[in-house]
Amino acid sequence: MASPVSVYNSNALDTHISSSSRESLKMELLADVSLLPGEERIIDKETIYICPFSGAVKGKVLITNYRLYFKSLDPDVALTLDVPLGAIGRVEKMGGASSRGEHSYGLDITCKDMRNLRFALKQEGHSRRDIFELIFKYAFPVSHGLPLFAYVTQEKYGESGWDIYKPIEEFRRQGLPNNKWRITFINKNYELCDTYPTVLAVPFKSKEEDLRRVAAFRSRGRIPVLSWIHRENQAVIARCSQPLVGMSGKRNKDDERYLDVIREANDTSKLTIFDARPSVNAVANKATGGGYEGDEYQNAELVFLDIQNIHVMRESLKKLKDIVYPNVEDSHWLSSLESTHWLEHVKLVLSGAIQVADKVSSGQSVVVHCSDGWDRTAQLTSLAMLMLDSHYRTLRGFQVLIEKEWISFGHKFASRIGHGDKNHADQDRSPIFVQFIDCVWQMTKQFPTAFEFNERLLLTILDHLSILLLTRDHRDTVFSLTSCWSRALSQL
């Protein structure tokens, strides 16, 4: 039987070892974080993460010039957060020096995707001041005169992003040009439309001067051009912006004839024009010089898809995040979820894409537009193409789809994401691309074997939005997404 002294010494030794292990764990906790080329450690700090599901989790947070990384100190709670700073849209202080209540003092971090984060810190000695200022500085480098991380990183890639998507090769894969459709370089200097790609597919019967006259009647010069053609029935998906009808009901014979030429290209009796907007919004746009195609467009039918604008989508996502942050209320979950209307919006976008795909499958060409043709239009055309063409459901094809329908056709990534800018109230911000990824996720859940990828790729793409070299000129964005794609795939 062991003596009391030996038991005491054994307990003391165990306590000492346990204490040493905890200290060792704290020291080693963030030591193995793999940094990117050009990424530098800025600060690390013990904190408490308020998890919506697990409650308060003690751990350590590391801030670099690229990410926020948190890891729990409790070996029984395997919790890790790895959030690119570019995904952060807002940083706020929670509570004050006189705040009462457990975990009432700290930081609230609102992300641009589905995430919100809350960290509690000690109230003594302004413990949050340094970490708040550093996150604010590196999450919004543009507002602090700093370069975006995309300019800082020196990461090398095994394949040049420029070689992934080549417009001519993609058109050839679709069987173009042919005797109904031709390739034009009229926009090679971005003179016809500064938000369109340089290589366009247009009806064979159309002349360059026709395109210029049509551009004068379409918002921002975004004329109807081919996005995709069905190899068997030759029906096409064309995309554009709204016609400039205005309150006076202006007409443009060249525009009317041009749409009819699109219809004639595969000898269908009627061209379907899908206007993504609710009809009331389309009518209201007449007051600002826009509008929609009326009865003067013969051999055409107009269908409104009732998808709301960027402002409604922004508020819907905010409401969705509010019901899961800082904690989830199980008792009213379904009614709370319904009140956000997020799933309703996702349903309408998917339903619209299905209508587009059904028309094309039945041999009828379609034209898709919203107001300017770079938000809802991109969602609809890319989702319909994803449904119709298995190539876009491969890893490489999905990359081509995003670069083609989103980047080359001028989706305003810089404005919608607000990369590097602290102005979280900017009315141009909206989760349009996030919503598209959500729609794709819904499809992968229903048809998992139809895709060469799963949600891990989709989440990685959203994370890598935060390091894109996003500028107002979409031509500079092409390099950014293609450059990060290799890293996105390597993390799967």
Side-chain angles (χ1 to χ4, degrees):
M1 181 175 177
S3 69
V5 175
S6 64
V7 171
Y8 172 81
N9 289 339
S10 175
N11 290 341
L13 180 61
D14 288 343
T15 303
H16 175 72
I17 291 174
S18 177
S19 176
S20 298
S21 297
R22 285 195 297 270
E23 290 304 313
S24 176
L25 176 63
K26 289 181 181 181
M27 292 177 63
E28 296 175 0
L29 194 63
L30 302 177
D32 60 346
V33 178
S34 179
L35 302 183
L36 300 174
E39 185 178 5
E40 299 176 355
R41 292 171 178 261
I42 306 299
I43 190 175
D44 61 74
K45 203 177 193 76
E46 284 191 32
T47 183
I48 296 174
Y49 169 58
I50 311 301
C51 178
F53 308 102
S54 308
V57 179
K58 290 184 178 181
K60 208 166 187 181
V61 66
L62 167 69
I63 305 300
T64 73
N65 57 340
Y66 165 65
R67 81 183 81 194
L68 178 156
Y69 186 92
F70 172 87
K71 194 167 186 178
S72 64
L73 283 167
D74 186 348
D76 296 328
V77 182
L79 179 62
T80 301
L81 300 174
D82 192 347
V83 182
L85 295 182
I88 294 175
R90 188 174 185 177
V91 185
E92 295 180 292
K93 295 178 179 178
M94 173 184 70
S98 59
S99 296
R100 294 291 178 265
E102 192 176 21
H103 312 315
S104 61
Y105 179 87
L107 298 175
D108 269 333
I109 298 175
T110 305
C111 295
K112 300 169 187 174
D113 48 29
M114 301 290 184
R115 295 172 290 194
N116 277 8
L117 311 172
R118 173 172 287 185
F119 292 99
L121 295 115
K122 296 177 181 178
Q123 288 178 268
E124 302 84 29
H126 304 287
S127 63
R128 69 181 173 191
R129 178 184 295 170
D130 53 354
I131 193 168
F132 170 80
E133 292 176 351
L134 288 168
I135 293 175
F136 200 80
K137 176 181 178 180
Y138 288 101
F140 311 119
V142 173
S143 299
H144 292 87
L146 297 174
L148 297 172
F149 184 75
Y151 289 104
V152 176
T153 183
Q154 301 297 317
E155 189 166 6
K156 305 297 180 184
Y157 302 93
E159 183 176 19
S160 170
W162 290 108
D163 297 330
I164 303 297
Y165 169 55
K166 294 181 178 179
I168 297 296
E169 288 186 7
E170 173 59 15
F171 282 133
R172 283 176 181 161
R173 188 192 67 82
Q174 296 183 31
L176 299 172
N178 57 26
N179 62 346
K180 299 292 186 179
W181 294 88
R182 67 184 179 88
I183 307 299
T184 177
F185 299 93
I186 188 174
N187 201 40
K188 65 180 180 180
N189 295 318
Y190 299 96
E191 293 175 353
L192 181 75
C193 176
D194 62 0
T195 57
Y196 260 16
T198 56
V199 182
L200 304 171
V202 297
F204 191 85
K205 291 183 179 180
S206 63
K207 297 180 174 58
E208 304 297 76
E209 193 51 44
D210 296 333
L211 303 180
R212 293 188 179 91
R213 287 195 289 265
V214 172
F217 191 66
R218 289 281 164 175
S219 177
R220 302 182 185 272
R222 296 172 67 89
I223 66 172
V225 295
L226 182 147
S227 274
W228 189 80
I229 185 168
H230 196 292
R231 276 187 172 272
E232 296 175 7
N233 61 37
Q234 297 296 292
V236 305
I237 298 175
R239 61 179 294 172
C240 60
S241 61
Q242 65 181 339
L244 300 178
V245 176
M247 293 297 290
S248 61
K250 289 184 291 186
R251 293 182 59 179
N252 185 299
K253 292 289 186 180
D254 295 296
D255 191 73
E256 294 167 24
R257 173 58 188 156
Y258 183 75
L259 288 190
D260 206 43
V261 170
I262 293 176
R263 177 193 63 81
E264 292 173 350
N266 76 322
D267 300 319
T268 60
S269 60
K270 188 161 287 189
L271 177 72
T272 301
I273 302 170
F274 285 107
D275 191 324
R277 302 167 293 182
S279 59
V280 64
N281 292 27
V283 172
N285 276 11
K286 284 188 173 184
T288 56
Y292 54 92
E293 295 82 0
D295 295 336
E296 64 273 13
Y297 286 82
Q298 298 180 2
N299 305 315
E301 64 171 340
L302 179 65
V303 178
F304 291 105
L305 297 177
D306 297 325
I307 301 171
Q308 296 293 337
N309 61 29
I310 63 171
H311 311 294
V312 173
M313 299 306 182
R314 180 179 60 246
E315 292 306 310
S316 178
L317 181 61
K318 181 180 181 299
K319 290 177 182 177
L320 178 66
K321 293 166 73 172
D322 285 344
I323 68 170
V324 296
Y325 173 80
N327 49 58
V328 178
E329 290 289 345
D330 291 328
S331 57
H332 303 96
W333 170 249
L334 292 177
S335 58
S336 297
L337 180 61
E338 184 182 17
S339 69
T340 71
H341 300 294
W342 179 259
L343 291 180
E344 179 185 337
H345 297 316
V346 168
K347 173 190 170 184
L348 284 171
V349 173
L350 282 169
S351 173
I354 290 171
Q355 292 181 62
V356 172
D358 280 346
K359 285 290 184 183
V360 174
S361 292
S362 66
Q364 192 166 318
S365 290
V366 303
V367 172
V368 182
H369 72 71
C370 46
S371 297
D372 291 319
W374 50 41
D375 290 313
R376 288 165 283 192
T377 300
Q379 290 178 326
L380 291 167
T381 58
S382 51
L383 288 170
M385 290 159 65
L386 203 60
M387 296 171 186
L388 291 164
D389 194 333
S390 60
H391 171 67
Y392 296 126
R393 298 195 293 273
T394 66
L395 285 168
R396 198 174 189 89
F398 192 58
Q399 180 182 0
V400 168
L401 181 69
I402 292 176
E403 292 192 27
K404 179 179 183 297
E405 290 302 297
W406 290 84
I407 296 174
S408 75
F409 275 100
H411 176 67
K412 298 166 67 176
F413 280 100
S415 298
R416 297 293 178 257
I417 296 172
H419 190 51
D421 187 355
K422 67 180 181 180
N423 184 16
H424 58 83
D426 187 343
Q427 291 299 298
D428 273 342
R429 294 196 187 184
S430 187
I432 298 302
F433 189 78
V434 172
Q435 188 176 58
F436 162 70
I437 293 295
D438 193 347
C439 289
V440 176
W441 179 81
Q442 300 286 346
M443 292 173 62
T444 64
K445 289 289 117 178
Q446 293 184 55
F447 308 99
T449 59
F451 292 82
E452 197 182 18
F453 54 85
N454 57 25
E455 63 188 39
R456 290 186 66 190
L457 175 69
L458 302 179
L459 290 171
T460 304
I461 290 172
L462 288 181
D463 267 354
H464 284 74
L465 276 180
S466 67
I467 66 167
L468 295 187
L469 212 119
L470 300 171
T471 68
R472 295 188 182 278
D473 187 340
H474 72 281
R475 287 166 282 178
D476 289 341
T477 314
V478 178
F479 173 74
S480 313
L481 183 59
T482 52
S483 296
C484 334
W485 196 269
S486 297
R487 187 190 313 147
L489 295 184
S490 71
Q491 295 178 3
L492 299 182

